[in-house]
Amino acid sequence: MRGHFKLAVLTALLFASAGVFGVASSANADGVIEAPGSAGSIKQVNAGNVLKDYNEEALNTVNNSSPQGNTSKKYTKYTLDESGYNYANSYNTIDGSSQTNTFKTKWFLPDGFNVSNYQHGNFQSVSLDGNGNLYFVESNGTNTNQGAIVKFDMAKLQQLGVNDDVLAIWKAFDYFNPYTTEGTQHNQEYEDAYNQMQGSFDQIKTLTNTLNQNKSWQNNQLNYQKTAQKWYFHWKTKKANNQKTVKSNTASYVKKQNAKKVVKQATAKMARWMKSYQMHKKKVANYNTKITGIQNQINTYQSQVDAVKAQNPDMFKYVDIAQTATLSPQVDIGHGQTLSFNPQNQHLYLAKDNTLTDLASRDDNNTVLEMDPNTLKPIREYNFKMYHGDSANLQLHTLAFDKNGNAYWGRKLGKGYMFFYGRLDENGVSFQASSSMVGQRGGTTNQGVAVNPQNNRLYFISDDILTSIPTSQIQDGSFKASDIHYQAFNSGREFESLAFDQDGYGYLLALWPPELMQSTAPLN
């Protein structure tokens, strides 16, 4: 658990800069997670036109034959049964796929993370960093352009047994949902329990600081003891070697006299270092006694905490799960499907694409926010145009980065799909079109793009189909039909977003209900 259990009011914030982190809703929500503070001033990067223009007719259209995903925009929807059993889903690849693979439910996601009363489980993006942290974008819904970014530590969730219960996260946030009667009651129960534990928490915090300081001091003494031991044996070896010289029948008189001096010196040095060794050894033992006493005090106060927690173990199980999350305030997320992690600079990116079309005029900007993944606070905001032809100004609706920091996005063109690549970071912004495009895409929707770090392929996501191409062949435009891979399904679900871990396993975000699914094998 992170720090205290103390309730915090997750107040929507007004950020100092216009743009992605613009005016948030005025809704308040009580919960067990602390909200971050104000972003403050955000550095603005105004890059102008960043797109090298291209001619659609000059693009090499690859004559591929794609399996078909769901092109109907009609979806299988159902709701989770709070009182009944909810089965995990499992979707296998179908004919025409480049591999046999399966996506299985890892977790069902909640109706919201209790940041806003507009929440209804409308998740739009999933992203993973290289350290096992998982990020979601939860949208307030169509035409609001508002939502929240949520970060989970997957290792902590695993320690809490969440991987053994697909409903654990859903239950935890539903339990503390402040927009329901039961959730309000549970928050009050938690506040009452916290008030009982607050004194113990304060003592544990103070004693833990003291404990850590004493461990640090003890470690210094251990290092001094090891140093004394090292020099003791150094002089012991030197004494033994020179004693052999003193007793030698072949050594000269001068050499024996010098050896006697070294033996005398070594004897004094050994006595000095042994005294130092014993002194530091005694101090280490004293610290052991002191540390044991402090730990016993901590254990006493922890037992008081545990006694309160034992009165309502289910509630504190949900507290532990909920407090693995870090929340942003409710912010302007645009369409919400561009959240991506840049492995090169270890930052998150999110575009404010408040319309699903291109920009209305050539005076308008694409706006992309770069964020610190540790705090979910902004680092800088990029404003740029992407001129195409004499009148168009393209808008970014998808975004992904490879391990070298190259940025990619894609858009539909006729029955096919085209790609753009370039840079979007502190060193500059620039994009150009790949000289080749996919002739036939297997789905209707353009839900997002993602890079698999294990095989360096770029995947574009549509309902019930994932299509991928090597990033190097996107850049040089050399891909052929045989280079295009597909994972097609017959789930009837709405595919929203895709992310990858370092081993190439896919994490698929699907609706409705919202759930995170994991592939049973790395995607090819």
Side-chain angles (χ1 to χ4, degrees):
M1 289 167 283
R2 294 187 305 118
H4 292 198
F5 297 133
K6 187 174 182 180
L7 282 164
V9 178
L10 300 182
T11 307
L13 302 175
L14 174 63
F15 279 74
S17 168
V20 176
F21 274 53
V23 179
S25 162
S26 60
N28 295 337
D30 291 337
V32 297
I33 312 171
E34 294 182 2
S38 171
S41 177
I42 306 172
K43 181 179 180 180
Q44 300 293 307
V45 178
N46 298 307
N49 176 44
V50 302
L51 180 64
K52 180 181 178 180
D53 204 7
Y54 62 95
N55 181 354
E56 283 97 339
E57 295 179 358
L59 297 178
N60 171 43
T61 302
V62 176
N63 185 20
N64 65 307
S65 178
S66 173
Q68 291 299 297
N70 179 6
T71 59
S72 69
K73 292 190 177 181
K74 295 179 180 179
Y75 305 108
T76 300
K77 299 180 181 180
Y78 66 96
T79 56
L80 298 173
D81 183 356
E82 183 177 357
S83 59
Y85 187 80
N86 298 273
Y87 291 93
N89 292 308
S90 180
Y91 303 127
N92 301 320
T93 50
I94 61 175
D95 290 345
S97 299
S98 304
Q99 68 174 148
T100 299
N101 211 330
T102 303
F103 274 105
K104 293 186 176 182
T105 304
K106 186 173 181 67
W107 307 317
F108 286 106
L109 300 174
D111 291 339
F113 293 108
N114 305 337
V115 179
S116 164
N117 58 352
Y118 289 102
Q119 64 186 25
H120 58 290
N122 186 13
F123 294 89
Q124 293 294 306
S125 280
V126 61
S127 188
L128 266 165
D129 63 23
N131 298 314
N133 295 304
L134 191 67
Y135 305 84
F136 294 103
V137 172
E138 179 198 358
S139 171
N140 286 346
T142 304
N143 297 325
T144 66
N145 299 319
Q146 296 284 300
I149 303 165
V150 185
K151 173 185 177 181
F152 278 108
D153 185 323
M154 294 179 71
K156 289 182 180 179
L157 288 173
Q158 183 175 356
Q159 291 171 5
L160 294 171
V162 170
N163 288 349
D164 299 322
D165 182 359
V166 295
L167 278 177
I169 295 176
W170 182 82
K171 291 175 181 175
F173 285 90
D174 181 68
Y175 189 90
F176 290 109
N177 186 348
Y179 307 109
T180 65
T181 301
E182 284 189 351
T184 301
Q185 178 183 339
H186 292 152
N187 275 291
Q188 185 60 55
E189 291 171 355
Y190 173 74
E191 185 175 19
D192 293 342
Y194 176 80
N195 288 336
Q196 293 182 53
M197 298 183 294
Q198 186 170 7
S200 297
F201 277 134
D202 292 343
Q203 290 293 336
I204 290 172
K205 181 179 179 180
T206 300
L207 287 166
T208 299
N209 289 336
T210 303
L211 180 73
N212 291 335
Q213 184 64 74
N214 277 272
K215 284 182 176 180
S216 176
W217 291 333
Q218 183 190 50
N219 188 61
N220 290 338
Q221 294 301 319
L222 282 168
N223 288 332
Y224 297 149
Q225 184 182 350
K226 289 176 183 177
T227 298
Q229 185 181 49
K230 180 187 75 172
W231 283 108
Y232 173 84
F233 284 113
H234 167 79
W235 287 106
K236 184 177 181 181
T237 300
K238 205 163 191 176
K239 178 180 179 180
N241 291 336
N242 280 274
Q243 281 177 328
K244 289 179 182 179
T245 302
V246 171
K247 296 177 181 178
S248 173
N249 294 324
T250 59
S252 67
Y253 175 80
V254 174
K255 196 170 185 179
K256 286 184 176 183
Q257 290 301 111
N258 288 336
K260 286 180 181 180
K261 291 179 181 178
V262 173
V263 169
K264 183 177 180 181
Q265 179 190 28
T267 302
K269 292 283 188 181
M270 287 171 61
R272 174 188 166 191
W273 286 114
M274 177 53 69
K275 182 178 180 181
S276 176
Y277 174 85
Q278 294 295 346
M279 178 186 69
H280 294 304
K281 182 179 179 181
K282 183 176 181 180
K283 288 185 177 181
V284 168
N286 289 339
Y287 277 119
N288 274 333
T289 301
K290 192 170 184 179
I291 287 169
T292 299
I294 296 170
Q295 187 62 60
N296 288 338
Q297 292 180 68
I298 291 174
N299 293 342
T300 298
Y301 287 111
Q302 185 61 51
S303 66
Q304 295 173 8
V305 170
D306 293 341
V308 176
K309 293 172 69 174
Q311 298 171 18
N312 196 339
D314 284 342
M315 179 176 73
F316 282 98
K317 177 181 71 175
Y318 296 143
V319 167
D320 289 349
I321 293 172
Q323 289 188 338
T324 64
T326 302
L327 301 179
S328 79
Q330 186 176 228
V331 295
D332 188 339
I333 62 166
H335 190 215
Q337 291 187 303
T338 58
L339 185 70
S340 51
F341 181 76
N342 183 344
Q344 195 274 329
N345 64 11
Q346 302 285 299
H347 292 161
L348 289 168
Y349 289 75
L350 180 67
K352 173 188 174 183
D353 55 335
N354 287 337
T355 65
L356 295 180
T357 61
D358 285 329
L359 293 168
S361 79
R362 289 167 80 89
D363 294 327
D364 293 335
N365 277 315
N366 284 276
T367 302
V368 178
L369 194 72
E370 181 181 349
M371 291 170 286
D372 182 339
N374 298 303
T375 62
L376 297 183
K377 291 185 178 182
I379 297 171
R380 57 181 64 84
E381 189 173 75
Y382 299 90
N383 304 291
F384 57 90
K385 301 168 176 66
M386 293 193 289
Y387 292 157
H388 175 46
D390 295 329
S391 58
N393 187 4
L394 305 187
Q395 185 170 193
L396 198 70
H397 298 298
T398 59
L399 183 63
F401 295 86
D402 66 21
K403 61 184 177 183
N404 296 317
N406 297 306
Y408 303 86
W409 61 279
R411 63 190 271 128
K412 297 184 292 184
L413 182 60
K415 295 181 179 180
Y417 198 86
M418 66 177 298
F419 305 94
F420 298 82
Y421 65 94
R423 303 291 299 190
L424 176 55
D425 57 26
E426 62 274 22
N427 297 315
V429 187
S430 63
F431 286 105
Q432 66 184 84
S434 173
S435 58
S436 291
M437 63 172 285
V438 174
Q440 297 291 328
R441 65 179 188 275
T444 300
T445 56
N446 182 24
Q447 298 283 52
V449 292
V451 174
N452 182 342
Q454 197 275 332
N455 60 16
N456 296 315
R457 297 180 71 90
L458 179 71
Y459 296 71
F460 66 91
I461 300 99
S462 193
D463 294 323
D464 264 337
I465 186 166
L466 313 172
T467 308
S468 69
I469 298 166
T471 56
S472 61
Q473 294 181 351
I474 288 174
Q475 292 188 32
D476 64 20
S478 65
F479 65 89
K480 305 179 295 295
S482 59
D483 298 313
I484 306 174
H485 291 180
Y486 312 94
Q487 285 86 23
F489 303 87
N490 188 26
S491 72
R493 304 292 298 284
E494 184 176 359
F495 284 14
E496 288 290 348
S497 182
L498 181 69
F500 291 92
D501 63 22
Q502 296 302 300
D503 296 320
Y505 286 83
Y507 292 76
L508 178 70
L509 180 61
L511 297 177
W512 299 81
E515 66 179 303
L516 182 70
M517 310 191 80
Q518 183 179 358
S519 64
T520 55
L523 270 64
N524 72 5

